[in-house]
Amino acid sequence: MNLKQLEYFVAIAEERQITAAARRLNISQPPLSYELRQLESELGVTLVVRGPRQARLTEAGQLLYQRATKILAMTAAARREVESVGSGMTGALSLGVCPDCAGLVPAARLRELRERFPEVSVEVSEGSTSEVLELLEGGIVDVGVVRTPFKSEGLRCRFAAAEPLVAVMPTDLEVGSDLSCTLEDLAAVPLALARRQVPAVSSAFAEKGLSPQVACVMDDVRTCVLWAREGMAVALAPRSLIRVTDTGDQFIKVVDCRGLDSRPAVVWRADRLLSPLAERAVALLGELS
């Protein structure tokens, strides 16, 4: 099993058709089919079942696809890292960003990197804080931008100032004063929460002897805001995210609870030597605001 075979297999898995995969790889169909047969023979399993219109992955094929995508990503990351040694401010910066930080990245300071070093490209992978940390651990991204809380063992971190949650309120679910609201206010309305918010929000409510009305739970806090726009519930989001999210004519109020404040952070592996490019990016991103 080699990297070329894995690349060919991933193309088949994603295109779901041998012909389309060959077109994507800019090769003819016979060598692609040959490499697939060789891979299946070496592993002793059937990876792809060909149908009249599309190729379907077997259970073994699905497992290999998950592993192959990570192997290819790590190979690309290793190539970038080796090529960057001694090359200075050139090449590609691989950045992982969680959706909660979309209001902070990209920012003017990161634009400075592009303006001063136009030959630099930025490759961005998006995912939850835990997913970004997994990408960082696997060497797939050089630097991550995440939000507390997270486990910082094995990481070096630069934390930005804490920022509060804000409540995005549909007109008919407005509670609180003109500019802020309390947990007592929010206990009276349905909430749309990002999955990672649920433990902290539930704990903060419990400390006051309250129970939140969790109407819906999403993977992405930006989706919560969209639901608030449609009048489904009150969404809770980091204040900086409001800069880049269309909240319509909803009320935006600061949640008066220090326990729900969070801090964006720029993180990288403590055991990894950063390239000059990554070091510069950390310096710029470390000034998030």
Side-chain angles (χ1 to χ4, degrees):
M1 183 167 58
N2 56 52
L3 292 176
K4 182 178 73 172
Q5 288 175 326
L6 292 181
E7 181 183 359
Y8 285 5
F9 172 72
V10 166
I12 294 170
E14 293 179 348
E15 296 296 332
R16 297 184 180 276
Q17 190 182 59
I18 301 292
T19 303
R23 189 181 308 117
R24 163 174 157 176
L25 295 166
N26 198 29
I27 62 175
S28 62
Q29 185 174 333
L32 179 57
S33 298
Y34 172 78
E35 291 293 348
L36 175 60
R37 289 195 300 271
Q38 288 293 101
L39 183 58
E40 290 180 323
S41 177
E42 180 181 342
L43 296 175
V45 295
T46 298
L47 299 171
V48 177
V49 177
R50 301 192 195 190
R53 294 186 178 179
Q54 67 176 16
R56 177 178 58 83
L57 294 184
T58 64
E59 185 175 353
Q62 292 172 359
L63 177 60
L64 180 61
Y65 174 72
Q66 294 173 8
R67 299 292 187 268
T69 52
K70 291 182 179 180
I71 290 170
L72 293 174
M74 291 178 68
T75 300
R79 182 180 296 114
R80 286 195 311 270
E81 189 173 358
V82 171
E83 291 175 347
S84 70
V85 175
S87 64
M89 303 296 285
T90 60
L93 170 68
S94 183
L95 186 64
V97 182
C98 75
D100 290 9
C101 295
L104 301 170
V105 178
R109 300 309 304 274
L110 191 59
R111 186 175 67 242
E112 177 184 319
L113 185 69
R114 286 285 303 133
E115 292 172 348
R116 292 185 59 186
F117 308 100
E119 69 278 15
V120 168
S121 63
V122 181
E123 300 176 0
V124 179
S125 297
E126 295 178 293
S128 65
T129 287
S130 61
E131 289 171 337
V132 170
L133 295 180
E134 287 179 7
L135 294 174
L136 199 63
E137 175 64 25
I140 296 173
V141 299
D142 304 313
V143 179
V145 181
V146 295
R147 185 175 292 277
T148 58
F150 62 87
K151 295 181 180 180
S152 60
E153 290 84 358
L155 300 175
R156 293 192 178 182
C157 312
R158 288 192 180 180
F159 291 95
E163 64 173 306
L165 280 182
V166 296
V168 182
M169 299 178 179
T171 304
D172 58 352
L173 293 177
E174 184 194 5
V175 293
S177 63
D178 288 344
L179 300 177
S180 66
C181 60
T182 65
L183 296 188
E184 287 81 1
D185 295 326
L186 293 175
V189 294
L191 301 178
L193 302 178
R195 203 171 306 281
R196 71 183 303 269
Q197 293 176 325
V198 173
V201 170
S202 298
S203 177
F205 272 75
E207 287 182 6
K208 292 183 172 291
L210 302 169
S211 297
Q213 298 182 41
V214 181
C216 44
V217 178
M218 318 288 188
D219 288 325
D220 191 329
V221 68
R222 293 170 295 188
T223 308
C224 296
V225 174
L226 293 178
W227 280 53
R229 281 183 53 193
E230 297 303 318
M232 299 292 294
V234 172
L236 302 183
R239 182 167 59 187
S240 61
L241 192 65
I242 302 305
R243 304 176 187 173
V244 294
T245 305
D246 182 4
T247 58
D249 57 357
Q250 313 309 303
F251 292 98
I252 310 295
K253 302 185 182 186
V254 173
V255 178
D256 186 12
C257 178
R258 289 288 182 89
L260 292 179
D261 290 357
S262 63
R263 300 175 68 187
V266 179
V267 297
W268 65 101
R269 282 174 46 174
D271 63 350
R272 182 176 179 182
L273 180 65
L274 290 177
S275 68
L277 173 58
E279 286 183 347
R280 182 60 176 163
V282 165
L284 292 173
L285 290 169
E287 302 176 18
L288 294 174
S289 61

